Amino acid sequence: DLVRSRGLGDVYKRQPPIPGGGVAGAISGIENNGGTIVINFTGTLMSSDTLTGDFGPVEGATSPFSTTAEGSATFYIAR
């Protein structure tokens, strides 16, 4: 799974495997379309305000998921 920051440019970090196994989701693409960020993913899209923080599900997120590139950084993973 890759994490990308919103508001800080292109910052990616590979996430560790899910403890206890399970099938992980994946982020297959991220695009910036004029200030709208579009994330293509499988599984459950999760977000956090900090890279090392707790990630929680993004309510109602389906792929492709769109958000704005305004405000503070948000980090995304797919699990």
Side-chain angles (χ1 to χ4, degrees), residues 50-68:
T50 62
L51 185 57
T52 58
D54 293 327
F55 282 81
V58 177
E59 289 276 333
T62 58
S63 185
F65 174 75
S66 296
T67 187
T68 61

Side-chain angles (χ1 to χ4, degrees), residues 4-20:
R4 182 187 186 273
S5 71
R6 180 178 78 186
L8 296 177
D10 293 328
V11 178
Y12 295 90
K13 179 181 177 185
R14 184 147 311 270
Q15 292 295 301
I18 297 173

